[in-house]
Amino acid sequence: METLIGLSPIILMFVVMWFFIIRPAQKRQKTTAAMQTNLKRGDRIVTVGGLHALVDAVDDATVFVTIADGTRLQFERAAIARTIDSSPVL
C-alpha cells in the first residue's frame, strides 16, 4: 500500500498529461485526417507551407490545386493543413 501511495504523484502526473496534451492532439489528428479524406473539387485550402489554393482534382494520395494565373500544382494529401470557408463574412 505504501508503494501505491508513493507512486500516486507520478500516476496523477501521467493522467493530467493525458487529458491536457495527448487527448487534444489525438482529436486534432482525427479531424485533420477526416478533412484530408473529404477533400473535393472546388474546396479552398491552405497547405502546410501557407499556400492558398483551389482544389482542382483529387487522387488517392495526391491533390491537384490551382493557384494564380491557372497554375496547377500537385500536393500530397498530408500537405493540406486546412480548408477555408468560402462563405461571405457579415
Side-chain angles (χ1 to χ4, degrees):
M1 189 65 174
E2 290 179 20
T3 306
L4 186 61
I5 293 172
L7 291 176
S8 63
I10 295 172
I11 294 170
L12 181 65
M13 182 178 65
F14 280 114
V15 169
V16 168
M17 189 170 56
W18 185 78
F19 272 108
F20 287 111
I21 297 173
I22 297 170
R23 188 168 173 251
Q26 288 175 340
K27 280 182 153 182
R28 259 184 267 114
Q29 285 176 344
K30 284 182 183 179
T31 57
T32 301
M35 179 271 307
Q36 290 170 348
T37 303
N38 296 326
L39 284 174
K40 60 188 180 303
R41 185 177 183 168
D43 286 347
R44 294 197 165 280
I45 55 109
V46 177
T47 65
V48 174
L51 180 77
H52 291 251
L54 182 68
V55 175
D56 187 40
V58 179
D59 286 343
D60 291 336
T62 60
V63 177
F64 291 90
V65 298
T66 56
I67 55 174
D69 300 333
T71 304
R72 193 168 186 230
L73 301 172
Q74 182 179 10
F75 283 94
E76 291 289 323
R77 280 185 188 255
I80 309 300
R82 61 187 166 99
T83 57
I84 299 173
D85 186 19
S86 59
S87 63
V89 178
L90 298 175

